[in-house]
Amino acid sequence: MTASASADSANIFVRLEAPFTDQKPGTSGLRKSSRQFEQPNYLESFVEAVLLTLPGVQGGTLVLGGDGRYGNLRAINVILRMGAAHGLSKVIITTGGILSTPAASNLIRKRKAIGGIILSASHNPGGPDGDFGVKVNGANGGPTPGSFTDAVFECTKSLEQYAIVEAPALSLDTPGVHSIGAMQVEIIDGVDDFVELMQQLFDFDRISTLLRGDFPLAFDAMHAVTGPYARRVFVDLLGAPSNSIRNGMPLEDFGGGHPDPNLTYAHDLATLLLRGNDYRFGAACDGDGDRNMILGHRCFVNPSDSLAVLTANAELAPAYGSGLAGVARSMPTSSAVDVVAKELGIDCFETPTGWKFFGNLLDAGRITLCGEESFGTGSNHVREKDGLWAVLFWLQILAVRRCSVADIMNSHWERFGRHYYSRHDYEAVPSDAAHGLYDRLEGLLPGLVGQSFAGRKITGSDNFSYTDPVDQSITQGQGLRILLEDGSRVVVRLSGTGTKGATIRVYLESYVPSSGDLHQDPQIALADMISSINSLAEIQQRTGMESPSVIT
Ligand code: G1P
Ligand code: ZN
């Protein structure tokens, strides 16, 4: 992409020789390798299309920040200068440019901004050899809908130039008010507003009593965005010892790690909790702070179960004491929460993968809590999943019930039965092989009903499609489902967030009632389903992989 520039008063118009068409339609924002973002005019072209498409840019207020990864500060500088050229009246930015995704959602809502730009590739590794991303959230604080991202994509295809102003880079070290041309730049402490919101939702005194007692906890920020938030909340306000926070300093390359809080990538934390005896509670969040993993002493909480436990215990948190409007889970998430919702007599919605589908339900007041199997849990307090919120919710429950995480899980299963669950990811599969596997399996689906699978009869099979109950929009092709007679199921999807090759996700779920064996290893409880899907979908032959890259 080469360019020439011309100036019109303060605005510089940089002409683009080739249109920029690199965005995957239907995906929220743009997530690519850091190297791709360093190509001349690459970031600028996408930002131009966003600023031309987002409603209210002229005279509007925008929230801006990111997870601190390599490229964050450069992108902030570019977006500020382009925002000024496009007539924004104000950009709210946080010290160090550090802003978690849920905190950004809160700020957009609180400050009545037209939206926000969040610089993150979420849980993907960062650094010059890692990934970078630009996410755009709307005025409700949530990810922009598919119609917006499609419009941005259309715009990028015919883009001929972008507008920018010259301005020196601002120091983001301290709060203050600056200006770039007519646009005001307000630098604020990014932690304050978020902490204030958490204090409204949870009983900090009660949690503090727990943490000041014999309740050692380990929180792993994975050298990503949540370090400063966690320090303020757990150490400064709740009184946990300072060494409770691990990897608390945000680093541009996340210390070389993969900031995804699961048993593989947060392995050190998992070992501390699952093998050691020093901690009673452990938690981790991802790159941009929207995901969470919860661990107890010798106990891993599956994210689908976590949503069910929060739903069943919601009354213990001040914010949710008066009951829940309803709950929602993404389709591949286990049905554990459905059983709780049924008992509570509230609605439970099944949406496609991705947070944006919860936004409509939250905005319409149809649900209060929602979550995904991929370590995302949230509520109507913002319009993103929220990692630290989930950790605080668990601590609130533990502070009231005064028992171990394992006790909470055991009593939950004894009451509702257990949904054994596991996700197997095959990462970096050559795209042709992954699509070949998927298309072939989809072709097999109609013939499967009535056949035997893992010793059970197949009672249904489809490619999941969703009609939004609020706006009736239809979203198709959301994953292949094989449903068995006893309520067990297997789902196969291709990831929409990977940047290297394709990722095949296989989701396995099997229900055991409270009278059954509640204490098996999920890989053993699901073993026959795992081998059946492996042979049906020819996973080993087609991927050339002996085993999944990640098992959760
Ligand atoms: C993954 C998760 C999905 C989540 C998304 C963004 O998407 O599976 O639940 O909403 O990341 O955090 P996928 O890569 O599966 O498309
Ligand atoms: Zn994330």
Side-chain angles (χ1 to χ4, degrees), residues 28-30 46-47 49-51 53-57 60-67 72 75-76 79-80 83 88 90-94 97 99-120 133-145 148-149 152 288 383-384:
S28 245
L30 182 66
F46 182 71
V47 173
V50 167
L51 292 175
T53 310
L54 192 68
V57 167
T61 296
L62 185 81
V63 169
L64 176 63
D67 64 11
N72 198 39
I76 284 174
I79 295 167
L80 285 174
L88 279 170
K90 183 191 268 200
V91 174
I92 298 170
I93 189 162
T94 48
L99 182 61
S100 78
T101 290
S105 183
N106 178 44
L107 273 182
I108 294 167
R109 295 164 67 77
K110 192 167 168 185
R111 302 293 291 269
K112 305 214 177 336
I114 59 163
I117 297 183
I118 304 167
L119 304 164
S120 171
V134 182
K135 297 197 293 178
V136 185
N137 282 28
N140 76 342
T144 40
F148 174 80
T149 44
V152 170
D288 63 331
R383 292 295 179 272
E384 289 277 5

Side-chain angles (χ1 to χ4, degrees), residues 31 101 120-123 135 259-260 286-291 385:
R31 188 183 294 186
T101 290
S120 171
S122 188
H123 49 281
K135 297 197 293 178
D260 200 3
D286 76 329
D288 63 331
D290 55 1
R291 293 186 173 191
K385 53 195 174 231

Side-chain angles (χ1 to χ4, degrees), residues 123 291 353-354 372-374 385 423 493 495-497 505:
H123 49 281
R291 293 186 173 191
T353 299
E372 295 193 273
E373 48 66 39
S374 52
K385 53 195 174 231
R423 183 175 107 179
R493 291 182 55 245
S495 156
T497 61
R505 304 204 195 282

